[in-house]
Amino acid sequence: MKASTSILAVLVTIASATASIPLFKDHLQQDGSNWVVLVAGSNTWGNYRHQSDVYHAYQLIRKAGIPDDHIIVFHYDDIAYNSANPFPGVVINSPSGENVYENVPKNYVGTDVNTENFLKVLTGEPGTTSGQSTGGVLQSTVVDNVFIYYADHGGPGILGMPEGEAFLYADELRGALDKMKEKRMFNKLTFYVEACHSGSMFLDLSENENIYVVTAANPDESSYAAYCPGETQQAVAVGTCLGDLFSVKWLEEMTSMGTSTQTLEEQYSYLRESVSVNDTYVGGSHVMQYGDKSFTSDRVSQYMGNLSPRETQSSAYNVLDNYDADLAPLFGNPKALRAELLERAVVEKKFMRIKEEALGGTLKVLQPHHTVLDWQCYRDSINVFKKNCGPIAQHSFKHLEAFVSLCNAGVPRYRIEAAVLSVCGL
């Protein structure tokens, strides 16, 4: 099939890894090097875009000279050879894109992609692996720069994970970053997050810790998927969204600009404007900065490697709210789409009823909140819900605002639990 020619094209062979990374010494402390952790925190065909984003990031960072022994990749690895994939072994991040799956390391795949392993790896401990994963641990030191990229669904104070507890809580992540600092595991750390409500993960990050964060969305909003079915033959053929707006804008701009001249601040400014759709926020979100902005004059190459610029092809982005993007594979199946929408409506009604019952029959006295103040109450409420109402699907993460609001308002945990039991039954 002629249309698949560009899809099946592979990246030019990347130079083999060397034992060390002397490439960026002019940007780092003496004898310092670069370390990278890439995380796709979801699975299933409907979430194709998160693994595709991470694979694309890997290819660029590897091409920029950072070797595999300094890159750790978390990905479920259920996309390339998924039965729904019309191009087996191929994953693309844009309609005209190359195969970004080639040679991606399998440090943590399948059930090894979980919160416990991620937090262990960040803090210098090896994760638990099955036979499929090769493992890996962050061995950075106080003279090294660390870059972390995380792509997934998010909710108030949480990011998703496909296995284990299926959540990464903001206070857990903050604890890991604090431990990294205590163990002198970085000179400077830069962290990019693609997720709805991703800003809610970093609200308490101080401005003098050498940790700089860019998020795809503020604490109160969805981020957006891109290259969704409807605009291009390739997206229609794949049947799901190929990437996320923040991520593809970042990766495509980094490809065309290179990394040696652009600063972190300049990259942020571009992303803020382009992802907001020129400040209209119609089909776009608020890209945010958190933490230590004192080193945003550093060049991008100091964290993502030295990538030479090259020409890229632009396509229509055809965005969808990330809470709806998972529906894309069902667009050609009206019956299945109706069933999924009905199920979502049922879940939304459950959260509304829980909130109402916990407040004694009224919703009027409680304003919605996305900033978690009482983490123990929030965790307990989520766990009670999962135990009695079932798993919390990723499209339902936004409804966790109900528990944030109840806990922040001081509603006793026993009343929240009683409301959950009343709505979902014993």
Side-chain angles (χ1 to χ4, degrees):
M1 141 179 205
K2 293 182 179 179
S4 66
T5 302
S6 62
I7 300 174
L8 295 173
V10 297
L11 291 172
V12 175
T13 303
I14 301 170
S16 61
T18 57
S20 61
I21 315 179
L23 302 175
F24 317 116
K25 284 186 177 179
D26 56 324
H27 305 317
L28 299 167
Q29 291 193 11
Q30 186 175 2
D31 299 322
S33 61
N34 293 82
W35 287 83
V36 176
V37 180
L38 306 174
V39 183
S42 68
N43 59 356
T44 75
W45 187 250
N47 288 318
Y48 179 107
R49 60 197 183 278
H50 300 136
Q51 292 184 68
S52 176
D53 292 336
V54 162
Y55 296 160
H56 192 179
Y58 166 77
Q59 299 295 349
L60 294 185
I61 287 168
R62 186 66 187 83
K63 191 176 182 67
I66 301 178
D68 280 340
D69 60 3
H70 281 231
I71 305 172
I72 301 168
V73 187
F74 287 77
H75 60 114
Y76 207 84
D77 199 21
D78 63 340
I79 300 301
Y81 292 97
N82 193 292
S83 61
N85 192 347
F87 312 110
V90 174
V91 177
I92 56 175
N93 196 223
S94 68
S96 58
E98 299 165 315
N99 181 13
V100 293
Y101 181 69
E102 280 218 334
N103 300 318
V104 175
K106 299 180 185 291
N107 300 104
Y108 294 91
V109 298
T111 58
D112 297 334
V113 182
N114 57 61
T115 297
E116 182 180 7
N117 276 346
F118 175 59
L119 296 177
K120 281 184 175 180
V121 167
L122 283 191
T123 55
E125 301 176 31
T128 302
T129 59
S130 64
Q132 293 181 314
S133 302
T134 61
V137 61
L138 193 62
Q139 300 178 53
S140 53
T141 71
V142 72
V143 297
D144 301 327
N145 285 349
V146 175
F147 174 65
I148 304 169
Y149 168 58
Y150 198 117
D152 192 19
H153 290 278
I158 62 164
L159 295 173
M161 274 287 185
E163 292 293 331
E165 287 300 308
F167 291 133
L168 169 64
Y169 288 91
D171 62 336
E172 293 176 320
L173 179 58
R174 179 53 202 252
L177 295 174
D178 287 344
K179 189 172 182 180
M180 290 177 70
K181 190 168 182 65
E182 291 169 8
K183 295 175 71 172
R184 295 166 59 83
M185 291 184 66
F186 60 87
N187 170 40
K188 298 173 185 176
L189 186 152
T190 298
F191 199 147
Y192 282 19
V193 183
E194 169 72 69
C196 299
H197 305 282
S198 43
S200 67
M201 296 293 291
F202 302 98
L203 293 174
D204 64 347
L205 194 61
S206 71
E207 298 181 357
N208 60 354
E209 298 186 68
N210 280 1
I211 300 173
Y212 168 67
V213 177
V214 178
T215 65
N218 69 24
D220 306 319
E221 67 183 347
S222 170
S223 58
Y224 282 79
Y227 297 135
C228 298
E231 291 293 324
T232 66
Q233 183 176 351
Q234 290 91 336
V236 170
V238 173
T240 189
C241 301
L242 304 180
D244 290 284
L245 185 61
F246 167 83
S247 293
V248 297
K249 289 280 190 179
W250 160 50
L251 295 166
E252 290 174 1
E253 198 257 358
M254 191 164 76
T255 301
S256 63
M257 289 289 295
T259 59
S260 62
T261 61
Q262 191 179 47
T263 67
L264 292 173
E265 185 65 34
E266 289 168 342
Q267 188 172 81
Y268 163 74
S269 296
Y270 166 78
L271 290 170
R272 188 201 63 77
E273 183 175 354
S274 63
V275 176
S276 71
V277 194
N278 298 318
D279 293 324
T280 66
Y281 300 101
V282 177
S285 56
H286 296 74
V287 176
M288 304 294 290
Q289 292 174 308
Y290 296 94
D292 192 341
K293 305 180 190 69
S294 68
F295 58 90
T296 58
S297 60
D298 286 358
R299 282 173 283 179
V300 174
S301 59
Q302 293 174 242
Y303 304 90
M304 304 175 201
N306 196 358
L307 185 69
S308 299
R310 67 182 177 93
E311 188 175 345
T312 59
Q313 292 182 322
S314 299
S315 302
Y317 286 100
N318 196 40
V319 301
L320 284 174
D321 180 305
N322 254 321
Y323 284 118
D324 294 329
D326 298 357
L327 298 172
L330 303 179
F331 287 170
N333 188 338
K335 183 177 180 180
L337 180 60
R338 283 194 298 270
E340 175 63 21
L341 290 173
L342 178 61
E343 175 60 27
R344 291 187 177 203
V346 169
V347 172
E348 181 176 9
K349 188 173 182 180
K350 284 181 180 179
F351 278 99
M352 290 180 63
R353 287 180 57 203
I354 289 168
K355 192 173 181 180
E356 185 174 2
E357 292 203 21
L359 291 169
T362 178
L363 293 174
K364 296 180 180 179
V365 298
L366 194 62
Q367 295 298 318
H369 288 277
H370 296 92
T371 303
V372 180
L373 301 179
D374 187 339
W375 285 103
Q376 192 58 55
C377 175
Y378 187 42
R379 269 193 184 80
D380 289 348
S381 300
I382 288 174
N383 289 335
V384 167
F385 184 95
K386 289 195 293 186
K387 180 179 179 180
N388 294 279
C389 306
I392 301 174
Q394 291 169 322
H395 63 75
S396 299
F397 285 3
K398 60 183 175 182
H399 301 312
L400 295 176
E401 172 276 323
F403 292 143
V404 179
S405 299
L406 290 169
C407 292
N408 286 0
V411 176
R413 275 175 266 177
Y414 74 86
R415 282 176 55 183
I416 300 174
E417 180 175 359
V420 171
L421 293 174
S422 175
V423 170
C424 295
L426 298 175

